[in-house]
Amino acid sequence: MNDDLHRILLKGGVTSPGELKDIISMLEAAGLTEVYFGSRQDLLFPLNNTKEEQLESISKFNTDIIGKRSYQNIVCSYVSADIFDMTYWLKGSTYLYILEGFDYLPELKINITDPKQRLVPIFNGNLNYIASESEDYWYLNVKLPHWQHAAFYPVLIYSWDINAISKAIEAIHEDIQDIDELFFILNKNLDTNNKNIEKELNVPYTTFPYYEGMNRMGLDQFWLGLYWRNNRYDIAFLKDFCGFCLDNSIGKICITPWKSFIVKGIKQNSRAELERFLGQWGINVRHSQLEMNWHVPVDDLEALELKKFLVRSFDQNDISTYGLTFGISNDVGKRSHFASIIIEKNNAPTIVKDFEVRPTYNVLHSENFDPNTDKYLTHAQDVDKIELPGLLMELSKIYFGKLGQVKVQEKPITKADEKILQSVHQCTACLTVYDPSYGDLGAGIPAETKFQDLPESYVCPVCESPKATFEKIELELT
């Protein structure tokens, strides 16, 4: 993502038409014509030379413009409530009450989600609240920034304690080493309405939904999903659309993590007028899912062009990606993306930093192609762009071959996952791991090739350091 972008943090990705119209008017005053949506359900935009305080003074809603990267938007699955499968007691109003209770600006990533939906990530935050089957109680999955592994809080959290517990963790998290210590301190200092865990969390395996167009919601209402393929949302359209929502008593607009937005509660008698409105603006609401299930860095033209190239290849070859999701990453090894398949762009070797070289990529996929797991498997390393379509089509066929055979993903409530050590070799220059289970397809090394059987001419696929720079290590798996 472009680090020069400023943000407006919309808690849970939820805003009212009046608030969004106020924000749009503020950005218009800065001379902007477009705004981006972020993967944490926030608004992003460049400010150039305009002062934040100057714009904030225009807002009737006391909107804060955030320039620092340290603050995080709260992610929640309110956007899925009442339109996709959901936990029986969890209504849209429950999310709104919880979000309203937050009286501070978090620096930790907080996710508040329903485990039955797939549109919003469940486990990619630092504090992940996941609805349980007990009404108004939540599992808490914790992975603080300095922890290597996530762990479950040993009791269920009451809905109305989420703010207090999150705020308390925010104040002490840097000194907390494990979940037992965290529980001891919070239990000692907070008076909360906890509940014993009677059943382990099960996250159902469901396919990724189609979230665009006009769709029925109940007997006499509809919901609308809108998506821009380049994530450049026209401010004039958004302002006019907010006016339409206000005129038709539509209360909320929701931003999704997929750089799109959803409007729920459109009345039957407003549908024809809304369709005319969209037609007059020339809005396409029939995009292929081939291009809607992607996470692409914001304001990154190279990544957007790579996505277009891959989507075009899928389309030309009549490949289905139903239920699959994709992410493009410029940070090798970073696992914050919420996607079944990740395409990582490798950094150019330092030895040729003064020369222009063609980029190479790694292709990974989550275990069982379920993005709600933090375990990723390497499918190919250090491959050229032209090889990517074939590799992704190959993964698509593997995915459909397994579809329907995947068991429910279980997240056991334990202090720590069982540790399994595997011997691998790691490059001491850039920390790239050579795993004999996968070999190195980019270098023509097949899977199950032991490190000692590699030719002496073998070099690191990322930084091109010689074989001698690799050291044997024990890799901890869960």
Side-chain angles (χ1 to χ4, degrees):
M1 185 177 77
N2 184 345
D3 287 335
D4 295 330
L5 296 177
H6 287 64
R7 295 173 297 154
I8 292 176
L9 306 183
L10 302 173
K11 286 189 289 191
V14 186
T15 183
S16 68
E19 181 184 24
L20 184 56
K21 190 172 183 180
D22 179 78
I23 291 171
I24 294 304
S25 299
M26 186 172 62
L27 298 181
E28 272 188 327
L32 298 177
T33 58
E34 298 173 331
V35 66
Y36 305 106
F37 293 162
S39 57
R40 288 198 68 82
Q41 297 173 290
D42 44 6
L43 290 177
L44 300 99
F45 47 88
L47 259 192
N48 301 324
N49 298 322
T50 309
K51 299 290 185 183
E52 295 174 20
E53 300 81 4
Q54 181 182 346
L55 287 182
E56 290 172 350
S57 65
I58 300 173
S59 173
K60 299 175 184 177
F61 286 77
N62 299 317
T63 301
D64 292 324
I65 297 174
I66 307 298
K68 295 182 179 179
R69 282 281 167 265
S70 57
Y71 295 113
Q72 301 292 341
N73 198 36
I74 300 169
V75 164
C76 90
S77 55
Y78 170 86
V79 63
S80 295
D82 306 313
I83 62 174
F84 297 123
D85 192 21
M86 54 194 291
T87 298
Y88 77 96
W89 60 265
L90 189 52
K91 310 302 180 195
S93 57
T94 309
Y95 291 105
L96 297 180
Y97 285 131
I98 293 172
L99 292 172
E100 186 66 28
F102 276 87
D103 56 0
Y104 74 103
L105 199 58
E107 294 191 19
L108 293 177
K109 294 179 180 178
I110 299 173
N111 292 20
I112 304 171
T113 57
D114 188 333
K116 291 191 174 182
Q117 57 79 43
R118 180 52 67 90
L119 196 61
V120 178
I122 297 175
F123 294 109
N124 75 342
N126 302 122
L127 305 178
N128 303 295
Y129 295 93
I130 307 116
S132 75
E133 293 183 7
S134 298
E135 184 169 350
D136 270 328
Y137 280 92
W138 306 71
Y139 297 96
L140 172 56
N141 175 272
V142 182
K143 187 179 182 184
L144 298 180
H146 59 287
W147 288 10
Q148 293 213 351
H149 301 289
F152 275 88
Y153 202 65
V155 293
L156 297 178
I157 306 296
Y158 187 48
S159 290
W160 319 124
D161 290 334
I162 287 179
N163 171 59
I165 287 176
S166 301
K167 194 173 184 177
I169 296 174
E170 187 89 46
I172 62 172
H173 76 274
E174 293 180 349
D175 300 319
I176 300 298
Q177 299 307 313
D178 58 42
I179 200 70
D180 290 335
E181 182 183 6
L182 180 65
F183 178 66
F184 175 79
I185 293 175
L186 294 186
N187 202 40
K188 181 180 178 182
N189 294 298
L190 290 179
D191 182 17
T192 52
N193 189 16
N194 300 329
K195 186 173 183 178
N196 289 332
I197 294 174
E198 299 175 355
K199 189 177 181 180
E200 295 178 352
L201 170 64
N202 286 333
V203 178
Y205 183 89
T206 56
T207 53
F208 185 72
Y210 189 82
Y211 57 83
E212 193 186 30
M214 193 83 71
N215 304 272
R216 186 168 289 281
M217 176 183 172
L219 295 176
D220 61 348
Q221 291 188 329
F222 295 85
W223 64 270
L224 171 71
L226 292 179
Y227 163 83
W228 262 239
R229 55 165 52 104
N230 61 4
N231 193 22
R232 294 175 179 266
Y233 285 84
D234 183 81
I235 279 180
F237 166 76
L238 290 177
K239 188 174 182 180
D240 213 2
F241 183 73
C242 288
F244 172 87
C245 292
L246 290 169
D247 292 341
N248 287 270
S249 303
I250 295 170
K252 299 295 180 186
I253 296 174
C254 315
I255 296 173
T256 81
W258 301 90
K259 321 307 179 41
S260 60
F261 68 94
I262 285 176
V263 181
K264 298 183 282 186
I266 301 166
K267 296 175 182 176
Q268 174 81 45
N269 56 14
S270 299
R271 178 178 179 177
E273 184 182 349
L274 178 55
E275 289 177 340
R276 283 195 300 271
F277 174 85
L278 296 174
Q280 288 168 349
W281 273 93
I283 304 301
N284 176 19
V285 292
R286 290 290 180 269
H287 290 92
S288 164
Q289 192 174 30
L290 290 176
E291 61 178 283
M292 289 177 59
N293 49 358
W294 287 77
H295 275 305
V296 178
V298 176
D299 197 25
D300 186 328
L301 293 179
E302 183 180 353
L304 185 60
E305 287 303 314
L306 175 60
K307 174 199 164 180
K308 289 179 181 177
F309 165 71
L310 295 171
V311 169
R312 195 161 53 243
S313 299
F314 289 162
D315 186 49
Q316 291 170 348
N317 288 277
D318 284 333
I319 294 297
S320 172
T321 61
Y322 179 75
L324 282 174
T325 52
F326 300 86
I328 295 176
S329 173
N330 293 322
D331 300 305
V332 174
K334 187 177 179 181
R335 294 291 177 268
S336 62
H337 291 75
F338 177 58
S340 312
I341 297 173
I342 293 178
I343 301 103
E344 292 180 335
K345 180 185 174 184
N346 289 314
N347 296 320
T350 54
I351 195 171
V352 293
K353 65 180 180 179
D354 296 328
F355 302 93
E356 185 175 347
V357 295
R358 289 169 63 90
T360 62
Y361 302 88
N362 306 325
V363 179
L364 306 93
H365 68 89
S366 53
E367 187 174 37
N368 294 326
F369 296 92
D370 185 352
N372 283 319
T373 176
D374 58 0
K375 183 176 181 181
Y376 278 81
L377 308 176
T378 302
H379 184 66
Q381 285 184 308
D382 201 32
V383 297
D384 194 82
K385 174 182 175 180
I386 200 68
E387 299 177 73
L388 290 175
L391 291 168
L392 298 185
M393 292 177 202
E394 183 179 290
L395 280 177
S396 173
K397 293 177 181 177
I398 295 173
Y399 161 74
F400 282 109
K402 291 184 176 183
L403 194 61
Q405 303 175 23
V406 179
K407 297 181 180 179
V408 169
Q409 177 190 347
E410 296 187 356
K411 290 283 181 179
I413 311 301
T414 57
K415 288 199 302 182
D417 293 323
E418 181 184 356
K419 296 180 180 178
I420 302 173
L421 298 180
Q422 177 180 341
S423 295
V424 296
H425 285 76
Q426 185 175 51
C427 174
T428 57
C430 72
L431 306 184
T432 295
V433 170
Y434 174 81
D435 186 340
S437 302
Y438 302 107
D440 186 345
L441 298 182
I445 307 295
E448 307 301 333
T449 302
K450 297 179 180 179
F451 184 81
Q452 54 265 36
D453 294 336
L454 295 176
E456 292 306 313
S457 59
Y458 179 77
V459 296
C460 173
V462 175
C463 70
E464 299 187 348
S465 295
K467 180 181 177 182
T469 61
F470 281 75
E471 290 185 353
K472 186 176 181 179
I473 63 168
E474 297 294 327
L475 187 66
E476 184 179 293
L477 305 176
T478 57

Coordinates of all heavy atoms in Angstrom, one line a residue, residues 424-470:
V424 N 15.2 -28.3 8.2 CA 15.3 -27.6 6.9 C 16.6 -26.9 6.8 O 17.3 -26.8 7.8 CB 14.1 -26.7 6.6 CG1 12.8 -27.4 6.6 CG2 14.1 -25.6 7.7
H425 N 16.9 -26.3 5.7 CA 18.1 -25.4 5.5 C 17.7 -24.0 5.2 O 16.8 -23.8 4.4 CB 19.0 -26.0 4.5 CG 19.8 -27.2 4.9 ND1 19.2 -28.4 5.0 CD2 21.1 -27.3 5.3 CE1 20.1 -29.3 5.4 NE2 21.3 -28.7 5.6
Q426 N 18.3 -23.0 5.9 CA 17.9 -21.6 5.7 C 19.1 -20.8 5.3 O 20.2 -20.9 5.7 CB 17.4 -21.1 7.0 CG 16.8 -19.7 7.0 CD 16.2 -19.2 8.3 OE1 16.8 -19.3 9.3 NE2 15.0 -18.7 8.2
C427 N 18.8 -19.9 4.3 CA 19.8 -19.0 3.8 C 20.1 -17.9 4.9 O 19.2 -17.3 5.4 CB 19.3 -18.3 2.5 SG 20.4 -17.0 1.9
T428 N 21.4 -17.8 5.3 CA 21.7 -16.9 6.4 C 21.7 -15.4 5.9 O 21.7 -14.5 6.7 CB 23.1 -17.2 6.9 OG1 24.1 -17.2 5.9 CG2 23.1 -18.6 7.6
A429 N 21.7 -15.2 4.6 CA 21.7 -13.8 4.1 C 20.3 -13.2 4.1 O 20.1 -12.1 4.5 CB 22.3 -13.8 2.6
C430 N 19.3 -14.0 3.6 CA 17.9 -13.4 3.5 C 16.9 -14.2 4.2 O 15.7 -13.9 4.2 CB 17.5 -13.3 2.1 SG 17.2 -14.8 1.2
L431 N 17.3 -15.4 4.9 CA 16.4 -16.2 5.7 C 15.4 -17.0 4.9 O 14.5 -17.6 5.5 CB 15.6 -15.4 6.8 CG 16.5 -14.5 7.7 CD1 15.6 -13.8 8.7 CD2 17.6 -15.3 8.4
T432 N 15.6 -17.2 3.6 CA 14.8 -18.0 2.8 C 15.0 -19.5 3.2 O 16.2 -19.9 3.4 CB 15.1 -17.9 1.3 OG1 14.7 -16.5 0.9 CG2 14.3 -18.9 0.4
V433 N 14.0 -20.3 3.3 CA 14.1 -21.7 3.7 C 14.0 -22.6 2.5 O 13.1 -22.5 1.6 CB 12.9 -22.0 4.7 CG1 12.9 -23.5 5.0 CG2 13.1 -21.2 6.0
Y434 N 14.9 -23.6 2.5 CA 14.8 -24.7 1.5 C 14.2 -25.9 2.2 O 14.8 -26.4 3.1 CB 16.2 -25.1 0.9 CG 16.0 -26.3 0.0 CD1 15.6 -26.1 -1.3 CD2 16.3 -27.6 0.5 CE1 15.4 -27.2 -2.1 CE2 16.1 -28.7 -0.3 CZ 15.7 -28.5 -1.7 OH 15.5 -29.6 -2.5
D435 N 13.0 -26.2 1.8 CA 12.3 -27.4 2.4 C 12.3 -28.5 1.4 O 11.7 -28.4 0.3 CB 10.8 -27.0 2.7 CG 10.1 -28.0 3.5 OD1 10.5 -29.2 3.4 OD2 9.1 -27.7 4.1
P436 N 12.9 -29.6 1.7 CA 13.0 -30.8 0.7 C 11.6 -31.3 0.4 O 11.4 -31.9 -0.7 CB 13.8 -31.8 1.4 CG 13.7 -31.5 2.9 CD 13.6 -30.0 2.9
S437 N 10.6 -31.0 1.2 CA 9.2 -31.5 0.9 C 8.7 -30.9 -0.4 O 7.9 -31.5 -1.1 CB 8.3 -31.1 2.0 OG 8.7 -31.7 3.2
Y438 N 9.2 -29.6 -0.7 CA 8.7 -28.9 -1.9 C 9.8 -28.7 -3.0 O 9.4 -28.5 -4.1 CB 8.2 -27.5 -1.5 CG 7.1 -27.6 -0.5 CD1 7.3 -27.3 0.9 CD2 5.8 -28.1 -0.8 CE1 6.3 -27.3 1.8 CE2 4.8 -28.2 0.2 CZ 5.1 -27.8 1.5 OH 4.1 -27.9 2.4
G439 N 11.0 -28.9 -2.6 CA 12.1 -28.7 -3.6 C 12.2 -27.2 -4.0 O 11.8 -26.3 -3.2
D440 N 12.6 -26.9 -5.2 CA 12.6 -25.6 -5.8 C 12.3 -25.7 -7.2 O 13.2 -25.8 -8.1 CB 14.0 -25.0 -5.5 CG 14.2 -23.5 -5.9 OD1 13.2 -23.1 -6.6 OD2 15.1 -22.9 -5.6
L441 N 11.0 -25.6 -7.5 CA 10.5 -25.8 -8.9 C 11.2 -24.8 -9.9 O 11.4 -25.1 -11.0 CB 9.0 -25.7 -9.0 CG 8.3 -26.8 -8.2 CD1 6.8 -26.6 -8.3 CD2 8.7 -28.2 -8.6
G442 N 11.4 -23.5 -9.4 CA 11.9 -22.5 -10.2 C 13.3 -22.8 -10.7 O 13.8 -22.4 -11.8
A443 N 14.1 -23.6 -9.9 CA 15.4 -24.0 -10.3 C 15.5 -25.4 -10.8 O 16.6 -26.0 -11.0 CB 16.3 -23.9 -9.0
G444 N 14.3 -26.0 -11.1 CA 14.3 -27.3 -11.6 C 14.6 -28.4 -10.6 O 14.9 -29.5 -11.0
I445 N 14.4 -28.1 -9.3 CA 14.7 -29.1 -8.3 C 13.4 -29.7 -7.8 O 12.5 -29.0 -7.3 CB 15.4 -28.4 -7.0 CG1 16.6 -27.6 -7.4 CG2 15.7 -29.5 -6.0 CD1 17.7 -28.5 -8.0
P446 N 13.1 -31.0 -8.1 CA 11.8 -31.6 -7.8 C 11.7 -31.8 -6.3 O 12.6 -31.7 -5.5 CB 11.9 -33.0 -8.5 CG 13.4 -33.3 -8.6 CD 14.1 -31.9 -8.7
A447 N 10.4 -31.9 -5.9 CA 10.1 -32.2 -4.4 C 10.8 -33.5 -4.0 O 11.1 -34.3 -4.8 CB 8.6 -32.3 -4.3
E448 N 11.0 -33.5 -2.7 CA 11.7 -34.7 -2.0 C 13.2 -34.7 -2.3 O 13.8 -35.8 -2.1 CB 11.0 -36.0 -2.3 CG 9.5 -36.0 -2.1 CD 9.2 -35.7 -0.6 OE1 10.0 -36.0 0.3 OE2 8.1 -35.2 -0.4
T449 N 13.8 -33.7 -2.8 CA 15.3 -33.6 -3.1 C 15.9 -33.1 -1.8 O 15.7 -32.0 -1.3 CB 15.6 -32.7 -4.2 OG1 14.9 -33.1 -5.4 CG2 17.1 -32.7 -4.5
K450 N 16.8 -34.0 -1.2 CA 17.5 -33.6 0.0 C 18.5 -32.5 -0.3 O 19.0 -32.4 -1.4 CB 18.2 -34.8 0.6 CG 17.3 -35.9 1.0 CD 18.1 -37.1 1.6 CE 17.1 -38.2 2.0 NZ 17.9 -39.4 2.5
F451 N 18.7 -31.7 0.8 CA 19.7 -30.5 0.6 C 21.0 -31.0 0.1 O 21.7 -30.4 -0.7 CB 19.7 -29.7 1.9 CG 20.6 -28.4 1.7 CD1 20.0 -27.3 1.2 CD2 21.9 -28.4 2.1 CE1 20.8 -26.2 1.0 CE2 22.7 -27.3 2.0 CZ 22.1 -26.1 1.4
Q452 N 21.5 -32.1 0.7 CA 22.9 -32.5 0.4 C 23.0 -33.0 -1.0 O 24.1 -33.2 -1.6 CB 23.3 -33.6 1.4 CG 22.4 -34.8 1.5 CD 21.4 -34.6 2.7 OE1 21.0 -33.5 3.0 NE2 21.1 -35.7 3.4
D453 N 21.8 -33.3 -1.6 CA 21.8 -33.8 -3.0 C 21.7 -32.7 -4.0 O 21.7 -32.9 -5.2 CB 20.6 -34.8 -3.3 CG 20.8 -36.1 -2.4 OD1 22.0 -36.4 -2.1 OD2 19.8 -36.7 -2.2
L454 N 21.6 -31.4 -3.5 CA 21.5 -30.3 -4.5 C 22.9 -30.1 -5.1 O 23.9 -30.3 -4.5 CB 21.1 -29.0 -3.7 CG 19.7 -29.0 -3.1 CD1 19.6 -27.7 -2.3 CD2 18.7 -29.1 -4.2
P455 N 22.9 -29.6 -6.4 CA 24.2 -29.4 -7.0 C 25.0 -28.3 -6.3 O 24.3 -27.4 -5.7 CB 23.9 -29.0 -8.4 CG 22.4 -28.5 -8.3 CD 21.8 -29.3 -7.3
E456 N 26.3 -28.3 -6.3 CA 27.1 -27.2 -5.7 C 26.8 -25.9 -6.3 O 27.1 -24.8 -5.7 CB 28.6 -27.6 -5.7 CG 29.0 -28.8 -4.9 CD 28.5 -28.7 -3.5 OE1 28.8 -27.6 -2.8 OE2 27.9 -29.7 -2.9
S457 N 26.3 -25.8 -7.5 CA 26.0 -24.6 -8.2 C 24.7 -24.0 -7.7 O 24.3 -22.9 -8.1 CB 26.0 -24.8 -9.7 OG 25.0 -25.7 -10.0
Y458 N 24.0 -24.7 -6.8 CA 22.6 -24.2 -6.4 C 22.8 -22.9 -5.6 O 23.7 -22.7 -4.8 CB 22.0 -25.2 -5.5 CG 20.6 -24.8 -4.9 CD1 19.5 -24.8 -5.7 CD2 20.5 -24.3 -3.6 CE1 18.3 -24.4 -5.3 CE2 19.3 -23.9 -3.1 CZ 18.2 -23.9 -4.0 OH 17.0 -23.5 -3.5
V459 N 21.9 -21.9 -5.9 CA 21.9 -20.6 -5.2 C 20.5 -20.3 -4.6 O 19.5 -20.9 -5.0 CB 22.3 -19.5 -6.1 CG1 23.7 -19.6 -6.6 CG2 21.3 -19.4 -7.3
C460 N 20.5 -19.4 -3.6 CA 19.2 -19.1 -3.0 C 18.3 -18.4 -4.1 O 18.7 -17.6 -4.8 CB 19.5 -18.0 -1.9 SG 18.0 -17.3 -1.2
P461 N 17.0 -18.9 -4.2 CA 16.1 -18.3 -5.2 C 15.8 -16.9 -5.0 O 15.3 -16.2 -5.9 CB 14.9 -19.2 -5.1 CG 14.9 -19.7 -3.7 CD 16.4 -19.9 -3.3
V462 N 16.0 -16.3 -3.8 CA 15.6 -14.9 -3.5 C 16.8 -14.0 -3.7 O 16.8 -13.0 -4.4 CB 15.0 -14.8 -2.1 CG1 14.7 -13.3 -1.8 CG2 13.7 -15.6 -2.0
C463 N 17.9 -14.3 -2.9 CA 19.1 -13.4 -3.0 C 20.3 -13.9 -3.7 O 21.3 -13.2 -3.8 CB 19.5 -13.0 -1.5 SG 20.3 -14.4 -0.6
E464 N 20.2 -15.1 -4.3 CA 21.2 -15.7 -5.1 C 22.5 -16.0 -4.3 O 23.6 -16.1 -4.9 CB 21.5 -14.9 -6.3 CG 20.2 -14.8 -7.2 CD 20.5 -14.1 -8.6 OE1 21.6 -13.5 -8.7 OE2 19.7 -14.2 -9.4
S465 N 22.4 -16.1 -3.0 CA 23.6 -16.5 -2.2 C 23.9 -18.0 -2.5 O 23.0 -18.8 -2.8 CB 23.4 -16.3 -0.7 OG 23.2 -14.9 -0.4
P466 N 25.2 -18.4 -2.5 CA 25.6 -19.8 -2.8 C 25.1 -20.8 -1.8 O 24.7 -20.4 -0.7 CB 27.1 -19.7 -2.8 CG 27.5 -18.5 -2.0 CD 26.4 -17.5 -2.2
K467 N 25.1 -22.0 -2.1 CA 24.7 -23.1 -1.3 C 25.4 -23.1 0.1 O 24.7 -23.5 1.1 CB 24.9 -24.4 -2.0 CG 24.4 -25.7 -1.3 CD 24.7 -26.9 -2.1 CE 24.4 -28.2 -1.3 NZ 24.7 -29.4 -2.0
A468 N 26.6 -22.7 0.1 CA 27.4 -22.7 1.3 C 26.8 -21.8 2.4 O 27.1 -22.0 3.6 CB 28.8 -22.4 1.1
T469 N 26.0 -20.8 2.0 CA 25.5 -19.9 3.0 C 24.3 -20.4 3.8 O 23.8 -19.8 4.7 CB 25.1 -18.5 2.3 OG1 24.1 -18.8 1.4 CG2 26.3 -17.9 1.7
F470 N 23.7 -21.6 3.3 CA 22.6 -22.2 4.0 C 23.1 -23.0 5.3 O 24.1 -23.6 5.3 CB 21.9 -23.2 3.1 CG 21.0 -22.5 2.1 CD1 21.5 -21.9 1.0 CD2 19.6 -22.5 2.2 CE1 20.7 -21.3 0.0 CE2 18.8 -21.9 1.3 CZ 19.3 -21.3 0.2

